[in-house]
Amino acid sequence: MPKLSNLELIALADSFPYPTTSVYKSRLYQFTSHDLKATLGYILPSVVDNLRDLKQSFVVSDAEQRVSIAPEFDTVEKRSKMMNDLALKWRIEKKFKVLEGWRSELYPIYYPSSELYFTFERSACPIFGFVTYGVHMTAYIPASDTRPLRIWVPRRSPTKSTYPSMLDNTVAGGIGYPYGVFDTLIKECGEEAGYDSELIKENAKCVGNVSYYYIRTSSAGGESGFLQPEVQYCYDLEVTEDTPAPKPVDGEAEDFYLWTVEKVKDELAAGNYKPNTALVTIDFLVRHGVITPENEPNYLEITSRMHRNLEHPLR
């Protein structure tokens, strides 16, 4: 199998077309707020077909390729109940395969100016193309006079419904409602890697974020074609040889490996990383001077596409 370039790896995660190549957009419907002031996501015609008869909840305009929440749902609570009741109904009816990964975890959906619009079941968010948020952390041992920089890399459990047995970031998890970013990081570090909360509080450093617009494939679990714009808050954790190694706790990871940068680059090029975690890993390599304008001909496009300006309301 040919090796994947860094740009090809970025394109696996940031796969939604840009405005200059927006033929794909022409067949999508906008899913909007009740007042039409915000496009919350893009949805497929196959989803719209399941909303047409729900006239008490949605207004469908084929002429404008738009679906809006009915104005009667004028509070966060009303919108949340209506949307989650629908998702649960679809799950019971086995309407969409993606709902087989039901999480019983709510994600926040925002209106402009970071205002909460409603909360929604995590597994159903791709059906409507809502922006979702996560936190990813890379634990590493810096280079020394005798050893190169090394990164702790987990392998996902083979029983996971999404990207089984693929490589991941040291710790990664979605930000459910009402958790904050750092609260989520501490929780995920304990659950996924057995890291002590004090270690994270004292040593984890926020190093920015990445954003991208993913078109889901079957590897993500469920149907292909659903849209998934995402923002990941990124943290680095510098550790030493004496820091306790991460270990599988909740079954999300099968094992952890301490790999050199060269080994990580080889695994990236072989396509063994989960798409969005490949992107986060490339961001890490850029920030640590491993990938530079001198050794990466597509440096500018890569760094730009890891920080996509999403067109939907953000937190």
Side-chain angles (χ1 to χ4, degrees), residues 199-229:
L199 173 71
I200 304 306
K201 291 176 182 177
E202 294 175 8
N203 296 285
K205 294 182 179 179
C206 182
V207 290
N209 66 275
V210 296
S211 52
Y212 49 90
Y213 214 137
Y214 181 50
I215 301 177
R216 285 172 67 97
T217 66
S218 58
S219 297
E223 295 83 354
S224 298
F226 286 150
L227 305 178
Q228 194 163 324

Side-chain angles (χ1 to χ4, degrees), residues 11 20 22 36 48 50 72 122 135 155 164 177 219 261 264 287:
T20 53
S22 58
L36 310 183
V48 177
N50 287 279
E72 290 77 17
R122 174 177 178 172
V135 58
R155 185 176 299 281
Y177 183 80
S219 297
V261 165
V264 168
R287 289 186 289 99

